[in-house]
Structures are given as C-alpha cells and as structure tokens.
C-alpha cells in the first residue's frame, strides 16, 4: 500500500510538472506579481476542476438543446425522460473509463521518462499506447469523423438559428457567413484557453433552456394539440439516437483532462456535469413538447415554433455565440491531429499554427452546405459515430487493457469505491457494448439513415433553405410533409 501511494504521488507530481504550456505550480506566484499576467491567468489559462466541469457541461448542451423537443415528439415524454437519464448515466460511466485509461497511459509513459510539456495527449494516442496501432487507427477514424460532423452540425445550427431573427438571407447564405466567423477558432491554442468561453457558454445554454421552458408554458398548448408519440419505429429510434448523441461529448474528454493541472481529479466531473445538464434538457424538452405536440415532427429546431419576442431573440443570439464556442471545442482536437500530421504541433507561434489549421475548416464548411438537415443529421451521427466513439470503444478498450491479472494488479487506477470488483466492471462494460451495438448502432442506424435519406429525397442536397417558411407566392400551396 505504501509503495502504491508513493507511486500515485509521483504520478500526480509529474502531471503538474509537465502540463501543456508549462503550467507549473511554482510559476503561478511569479505571474501574480504583475497585474497584467494575473488577468491573463484569470481569463485565459484554465486547468482547475471547475474549468473541466464548465468545459464538460458547456460542451454537452449546445444545439442539441433545440432538437430534444423534436426527439420527444418522436419518443413521447416518458421514453424521452427515461432515455435521457439512461444515456446520461451510461455516458458518465464511459467518460470515467476514458479518464482511467488516460491516467494508465500517462503513468506508463511517465515511468519511461516521456515528457508531454509541448504535446497534447489525445484519445487515439492513449489507445495506441495501451492496445497498439490497430486500435489507434480505429480510435482516430471514429473520433475525427465524429468531431468533423459535430463541427458541421454547429455551422448548420448557426444558420438555422439566425434565420429566425433575420430571414432576409436564406440559411445557406448564413452558413457561408458563419463558416467564416467560426474559422477564427484557429487562433485559440488549446483547451487551457477556454476558461472564460466555457463559463459564458454554460450561462448561455442555461438561459436558453429556461427560456424555452417558460416561454412554452406561458404560450400554452396550441389548438387541437396532439401527443401521439410513439407511433413509428423509425421515428422512435431516430429520437433515441438523438438522445444518445446528446450525452456523447467524450470526443474531447482526453484533451480536457490534459488541460487540467491535476488530471486524476477528472474521474467524476462528467457525472456532475451531466446531473446539471438534466436540469436544462428535461424541463425544456418536456414543456415545449407539451405546448406544441406533434407539430414538432415538422420542426426540428424549437425556435421555429416559439413566439418571436425579445426574449426569444436574446436566446437565439446567446445560442449563436455558444455554438461558436462549441465549434471550437469540436474543432480543436482536429486541429491537434492536423498539426501532428504536418509537423506543426510544437510550434509556439499562434499565427503560424492558425495558418496551418485553416485547411481543417474548409471541408467542415463544405459539408454544412451539402447536408443542412438539422435534426436528422444529429441522429445519424449519434447512431453511426457516437455509438462507437463514446460507448463501445471505451468499454472494450478498458476490458482489453485490464484483461490480464498483472495489468489489474499494477493498475494506476483501481475500480471505483462504489464498484470495487473487476468482475462487476466487466459485466457493466459488456452490457454497454451489447446494448449500444444492437439498439444504438443497429436499430438507431437503420432509423436515422432512413430518416436522413428521406430528407435528401424531399429537399435535395445543397438545400438553399431547409425547413424555411414558404415564399409569399407559395404560401397557400400545400407543404411537403417530412419527418
């Protein structure tokens, strides 16, 4: 026990000494002697437990907050609430597994005297170090594709939201504009520098969530409101995979951990972030679905049904700012990967790194113009990418890493206090792999792709204005139903 305690203390010491950008504990005192550096430290350099909590909570509830009422119209209130709780808890568990694997990888490398002072550890590198190059390739492929489409979704959401304030421009034009705005995230070096943004982002989504709930209750139910969900399996599993996507912010977990001064304290942060997110998602989705019912089946963005007021416009603007922040969250790991590919990751010049990162933004911009389907693309990404990236791969990686008795005996992190048995951990991980593969990837993939193809058939690729109000000349014409 004494040897293990000493080893853990050594790991903690190494963590704080080798953090990205040299954020050593001893350097703080020197910075605080000058007010300029104190302000910079307060607003720019974040690595505390609270910074990680704000980053996790802020990253979880972005544009998906606006699509959850749409999911409730597919699932019904009971299924919607139960699935949120279920996937929130399961997502918190797999985030815990990722944190354990990160600490295991980091501790092994520390023993080999590997320094990470100018290097940000990423999930695919953890898989490579623990399980080999094949797992690295799998992790890299799923993570990068998920982050790519996660960034695409933010651009689509920006264009969708601003349209409800200013409809003089179509959504495709707004996508061009916001693509240029979001490209400025190339200047944010790492997750250390999201301290202020994460704090503001969570405040913005908190306002938006409670605005949605209160506005829906004040508005009351529309005439002849109907709550028929669930009615079709396709719709049910499409909504379920959107909720699976809601609690799948794990693609940036390792980067957030690496930005902490003491990463070993991350273990339960994601759970606490999820509990807060429940206070935002469940009341807002329930209230909006109660007010508008089946009308939401044709409106994947809740803003399209809520009455136009100054309160709603404020919520739209705040969500736009937050989506810019979330775009940066999703893109930053992609920037790191690209920098490592072209050999620019160790470059200290912010301007040179920003210039090198620009090619990452271009395909994201292009895909957002090709597939502007706000709600359906969430479900498709959830079923095909989040299922593996967030749930299946971490569970399998944990089981394989500790499959040998020697690995379990020398583990840097033992099983949690509430589940002290390795066997119980294997049972839970196996259940998650089977459940998510069958329900999330299997049924969810079938349903979400069926729905996605239906949107393409109805609106076509490069749709100029997806789910927009018809022009005045065609206002009296019958609209095409879509789900």
């Amino acid at each position: 026990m004494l040897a293990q305690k000493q080893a853990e203390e050594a790991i903690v010491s190494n963590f704080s000494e080798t953090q990205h950008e040299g954020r050593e504990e001893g350097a703080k005192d020197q910075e605080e002697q000058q007010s300029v550096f104190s302000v910079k430290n307060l607003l720019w350099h974040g690595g505390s437990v609270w910074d990680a909590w704000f980053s996790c909570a802020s990253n979880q509830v972005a544009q998906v907050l606006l699509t959850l009422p749409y999911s409730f119209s597919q699932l019904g209130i009971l299924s919607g609430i139960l699935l949120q709780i279920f996937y929130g808890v399961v997502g918190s568990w797999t985030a815990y597994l990722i944190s354990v694997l990160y600490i295991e990888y980091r501790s092994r490398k520390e023993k080999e005297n590997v320094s990470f002072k100018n290097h940000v550890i990423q999930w695919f590198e953890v898989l490579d170090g623990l399980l080999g190059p094949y797992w690295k390739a799998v992790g890299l492929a799923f993570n990068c594709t998920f982050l790519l489409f996660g960034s695409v979704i933010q651009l689509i959401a920006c264009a969708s939201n601003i349209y409800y304030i200013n409809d003089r421009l179509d959504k495709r034009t707004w996508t061009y504009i916001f693509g240029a705005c979001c490209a400025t995230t190339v200047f944010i070096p790492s997750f250390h520098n999201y301290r202020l943004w994460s704090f503001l982002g969570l405040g913005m989504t908190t306002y938006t969530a409670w605005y949605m709930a209160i506005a829906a209750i004040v508005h009351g139910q529309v005439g002849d409101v109907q709550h028929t969900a669930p009615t079709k399996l396709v719709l049910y599993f499409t909504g379920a995979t959107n909720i699976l996507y809601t609690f799948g912010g794990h693609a940036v977990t390792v980067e957030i951990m690496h930005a902490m001064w003491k990463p070993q304290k991350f273990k339960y942060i994601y759970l606490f972030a999820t509990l807060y997110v429940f206070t935002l998602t469940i009341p807002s989705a329930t209230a909006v679905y109660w007010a508008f019912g089946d009308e939401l089946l044709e409106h994947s963005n809740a803003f399209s049904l809520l009455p136009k007021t100054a309160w709603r416009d404020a919520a739209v603007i705040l969500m736009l700012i937050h989506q810019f922040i979330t775009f940066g969250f999703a893109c930053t790991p992609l920037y790191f990967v690209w920098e490592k590919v072209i050999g620019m990751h160790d470059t200290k010049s912010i301007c040179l790194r920003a210039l090198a990162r620009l090619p990452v933004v271009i395909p994201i911009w292009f895909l957002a113009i090709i597939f502007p389907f706000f709600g359906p693309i969430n479900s498709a990404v959830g079923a095909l990418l989040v299922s593996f990236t967030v749930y299946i791969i971490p569970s399998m990686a944990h089981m394989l890493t500790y499959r040998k008795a020697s690995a379990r005996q020398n583990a840097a992190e033992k099983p949690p206090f509430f589940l002290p048995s390795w066997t119980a951990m294997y049972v839970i991980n196996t259940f998650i792999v089977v459940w998510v593969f069958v329900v999330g990837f299997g049924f969810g993939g079938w349903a979400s792709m069926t729905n996605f193809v239906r949107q393409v058939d109805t609106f076509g690729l490069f749709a100029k204005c997806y789910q927009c109000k018809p022009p005045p000349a065609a206002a009296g014409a019958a609209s095409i139903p879509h789900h």
Side-chain angles (χ1 to χ4, degrees), residues 31 48 83 172 183 235 269 283 289 329 373 433 451 466 473:
E31 280 191 344
S48 68
L83 283 172
R172 188 166 66 192
L235 296 181
I269 287 176
Y289 178 56
F329 266 112
F373 311 127
V433 170
N451 193 28
Y466 171 69

Side-chain angles (χ1 to χ4, degrees), residues 16-36:
S16 59
E17 287 174 2
T18 60
Q19 283 302 297
H20 184 64
E21 299 179 347
R23 291 296 302 148
E24 298 179 355
E25 293 292 327
K28 292 183 187 178
D29 296 334
Q30 185 177 356
E31 280 191 344
E32 289 172 356
Q33 291 175 359
Q34 300 181 28
S35 60
V36 174

Side-chain angles (χ1 to χ4, degrees), residues 3-15:
Q4 181 182 344
K5 184 176 180 181
Q6 290 175 342
E8 290 176 352
E9 289 175 351
I11 292 167
V12 171
S13 175
N14 285 333
F15 280 164

Side-chain angles (χ1 to χ4, degrees), residues 17-24 106 114-120 192 258 346 348:
E17 287 174 2
T18 60
Q19 283 302 297
H20 184 64
E21 299 179 347
R23 291 296 302 148
E24 298 179 355
R106 184 82 184 252
V114 176
S115 174
F116 297 104
K117 185 174 181 179
N118 294 314
H119 183 92
V120 176
H192 274 300
H258 191 82
D346 294 334
K348 294 183 179 180

Side-chain angles (χ1 to χ4, degrees), residues 172 176 366 368-373 459-465:
R172 188 166 66 192
Y176 292 137
F366 188 62
I369 296 166
I370 298 177
F371 304 113
F373 311 127
F459 295 94
L461 301 177
F462 297 96
K464 190 173 184 179
C465 209

Side-chain angles (χ1 to χ4, degrees), residues 290-456:
W290 169 83
F292 298 101
D294 290 352
E295 284 190 23
L296 284 159
L297 288 170
E298 298 185 4
H299 297 84
S300 56
N301 189 329
F303 280 149
S304 64
L305 289 175
L306 293 168
K308 182 175 175 60
T309 62
W311 296 102
R312 191 198 73 166
D313 289 351
V316 171
I317 292 169
L318 291 178
M319 282 303 291
L320 285 172
I321 299 171
H322 183 255
Q323 280 153 355
F324 165 82
I325 297 168
T326 309
F327 182 93
F329 266 112
C331 259
T332 298
L334 292 177
Y335 296 153
F336 292 155
V337 173
W338 179 246
E339 287 170 358
K340 292 171 184 176
V341 169
I342 64 175
M344 294 285 288
H345 189 58
D346 294 334
T347 304
K348 294 183 179 180
S349 170
I350 292 178
C351 292
L352 280 177
R353 290 179 71 183
L355 189 63
R357 290 172 169 187
L358 278 176
V360 176
V361 180
I362 295 172
I364 295 170
W365 207 349
F366 188 62
L367 287 168
I369 296 166
I370 298 177
F371 304 113
F373 311 127
F374 187 55
I377 198 172
N378 277 2
S379 298
V381 170
L384 304 181
L385 299 173
V386 176
S387 292
F388 286 92
T389 302
V390 172
Y391 301 99
I392 295 175
I393 292 176
S395 299
M396 292 186 66
H398 187 273
M399 289 191 289
L400 291 174
T401 298
Y402 298 108
R403 65 189 182 277
K404 295 181 180 179
S406 58
R408 294 192 293 272
Q409 184 177 358
N410 298 318
E413 285 287 333
K414 301 300 182 183
F417 68 92
F418 57 86
L419 198 71
S421 166
W422 285 100
T423 302
M425 293 191 73
Y426 268 74
V427 170
I428 292 176
N429 290 343
T430 303
F431 168 77
I432 292 172
V433 170
V434 174
W435 173 276
V436 174
F437 185 80
V438 174
V439 177
F441 176 71
F443 289 106
W446 159 72
S448 60
M449 289 310 298
T450 300
N451 193 28
F452 187 81
V453 170
R454 193 174 294 166
Q455 303 303 309
V456 174

